[in-house]
Structures are given as C-alpha cells and as structure tokens.
Amino acid sequence: MAGGLASYLLARRGSKELMRRDAEERAVTHRAKVFRVFSEFVQIFNSFSTTYGSVWEDIAGKSCQLGDHAPNQRILRPLANLGSERDIRFSADDIAPFFEAGRDNFVNDLLFCAAKYNSTMESLRQFGRMKEDLITLISAAELVEIKEDGEAIGKVGEKKEYLKIKLAEVRIESFIRPTLDHMNDLMRDLLDVAEQFHHEAKAVLGEGQRVPGINPSDITRFRETFGFVISPDSAAAHGARSEESESSETK
C-alpha cells in the first residue's frame, strides 16, 4: 500500500513537472509568434509611412490651375523602389495566440491592414507604369521650355496626339484619386493598430513579460506632422485657395 502511494505521488509530481514544462514551452512559443507578428507589422508600418510621407511631400503645398482635369496625377511623381517592397501576410500559426486570447477584433484589424497594404502598394506600382506610358506619349511633343522646378512645357502638333495625352491623363487621374483615399484610410488604420499593439500583446503574453510595441510619442508625432492632408481634392483645393488669395490681394 505504501509503495502504491509513493508511486502515485511520484507520478503526480512527474505530471505536474511535465505540465510546467509544457506551459513554459508554450509561453516561449507564444512569445516568439507575437514578436514575429510585431516584426511583420513594423515592416508594413515603416514601409508605408515612408511611402505616405513621399506622397505627402509631393502633394502638400502644391497648387494647380483651377479646373485642371487631372491635378493629382500631374503633381504626383512615380515612387522609386516600390518594386523592392514585398507583399506581407501574417501566417495563421503566428496569429493563433491572439485568437486563443480572444483578441479577434485586433487580428481582423491586422489582417485587413496587411491586405490593404499589399493592394495599395501594387496600385502605386501600377500608377508608376501608367505614368511611364504617358511620358512616352508626351515625349513626341515639341519641347518649348523647361522651368526651374523641372517642369517641361511642350506643344503637340496634331490634335489626335493631344487627345491621346488628355485621355491618358484622365485615366491615370481616375486611378490615383481612389488610391490616395485608400492611402489615408490605411495610414489611419496602421496608426490605430500601432497604438493598440502593446496592450493586445500583453493580453496574449500576460503581465510581467516583455511586450513589443511602438513608442506612443512616435505615433503622436506622425499624426501631428502629416495631418492626413493627402486627398483626391487636396491639389485642386489648394489651387482654388491660391487663386482666391491672389484675387483678394489685388482688390
């Protein structure tokens, strides 16, 4: 009887030790997955915030002629190095700990950001290809003048060539306008997820654990710096304000 009790106690102790080891291994695995998810998210955030900033610099403060039929495509340049940016997707295995912790809404936000990032970057690459095609059409024009800011002015001899250029500009404008809206939406979503990440990761890993996150002051600074000025009407609106201010000064 004593031997049987001792065996039972040893087996129970061994079972507890095994459970402890399993729990420790599970915690280590979960932590690795959370940090992988964070690493992928940071790549999305850094890549897109850089791209967003480049577009912001192109559009903010630039004016155009009032009534311009394609203001945004005229101001916005094709972005370099977009071809080197890879699509980013979160693996089901890595996001599983968030689901297990009941953070379903956060996971949905993460997946949505990744999908929208991939599609938006591809849209910007397509915009660059369309601009290259437009340059081919414009290159047939006779060069008249090159301004200090690099703007080239030319003239087209035949009306049909001129109409081809106008049509290409309208097509590019109809493509880039919704893309600019999507960029604004995605940047807001990324900032929201960035603000939540530390809290959500702590819900997965528990208190007392080192938890990844983006510095809140960096997020605040980004919001204050850019102010979400990118919009399909930003260039046209700025042009209208510029003309109004000029007319008021001459009165």
Side-chain angles (χ1 to χ4, degrees):
M1 183 71 178
L5 179 60
S7 298
Y8 169 75
L9 292 174
L10 285 173
R12 186 176 180 183
R13 186 180 305 163
S15 178
K16 285 184 177 180
E17 179 64 18
L18 183 60
M19 291 175 63
R20 184 185 66 79
R21 289 179 187 173
D22 287 346
E24 289 179 352
E25 291 177 2
R26 183 181 179 84
V28 170
T29 301
H30 274 31
R31 185 157 51 250
K33 291 178 179 180
V34 168
F35 273 84
R36 276 199 298 270
V37 170
F38 179 69
S39 176
E40 293 288 274
F41 174 73
V42 167
Q43 288 188 54
I44 292 176
F45 187 89
N46 288 342
S47 172
F48 189 73
S49 61
T50 300
T51 301
Y52 187 91
S54 297
V55 173
W56 181 86
E57 289 176 355
D58 269 0
I59 290 184
K62 300 290 179 64
S63 63
C64 64
Q65 296 297 319
L66 195 62
D68 193 336
H69 66 284
N72 296 287
Q73 69 84 28
R74 195 180 304 284
I75 291 173
L76 183 60
R77 300 166 296 175
L79 301 174
N81 302 322
L82 287 182
S84 62
E85 300 291 348
R86 65 179 178 88
D87 283 359
I88 295 179
R89 293 177 174 83
F90 299 104
S91 74
D93 187 54
D94 282 347
I95 62 175
F98 289 93
F99 273 122
E100 292 176 17
R103 319 312 295 179
D104 299 34
N105 290 337
F106 181 71
V107 171
N108 289 336
D109 291 343
L110 272 176
L111 296 177
F112 181 75
C113 283
K116 199 163 187 177
Y117 165 80
N118 294 333
S119 64
T120 300
M121 297 299 273
E122 177 55 31
S123 292
L124 291 173
R125 285 189 283 267
Q126 178 62 24
F127 169 75
R129 292 189 287 267
M130 294 173 76
K131 287 281 284 189
E132 289 175 1
D133 293 341
L134 175 62
I135 291 172
T136 300
L137 288 175
I138 294 177
S139 63
E142 179 185 347
L143 183 63
V144 175
E145 177 187 359
I146 300 179
K147 295 185 177 181
E148 292 183 1
D149 62 359
E151 180 183 358
I153 299 176
K155 62 180 180 179
V156 181
E158 296 186 22
K159 184 176 181 180
K160 66 177 183 178
E161 299 301 325
Y162 171 74
L163 293 177
K164 285 182 182 179
I165 293 173
K166 297 283 281 187
L167 176 61
E169 288 180 335
V170 170
R171 288 183 62 242
I172 298 173
E173 183 70 15
S174 66
F175 183 86
I176 196 60
R177 283 174 66 90
T179 300
L180 293 174
D181 274 340
H182 295 159
M183 290 184 72
N184 260 341
D185 293 341
L186 176 56
M187 196 68 251
R188 289 189 177 95
D189 291 340
L190 287 174
L191 287 168
D192 289 343
V193 170
E195 288 176 329
Q196 299 171 36
F197 205 103
H198 183 83
H199 171 76
E200 298 293 330
K202 183 177 289 187
V204 176
L205 300 179
E207 297 292 337
Q209 299 292 328
R210 187 179 180 188
V211 177
I214 295 178
N215 193 318
S217 62
D218 291 339
I219 298 172
T220 300
R221 183 168 60 252
F222 192 95
R223 291 186 188 277
E224 292 174 348
T225 299
F226 295 103
F228 299 109
V229 299
I230 297 176
S231 76
D233 299 317
S234 59
H238 183 82
R241 287 196 297 271
S242 297
E243 292 194 3
E244 288 172 0
S245 61
E246 290 174 5
S247 62
S248 62
E249 288 175 1
T250 57
K251 289 180 180 179

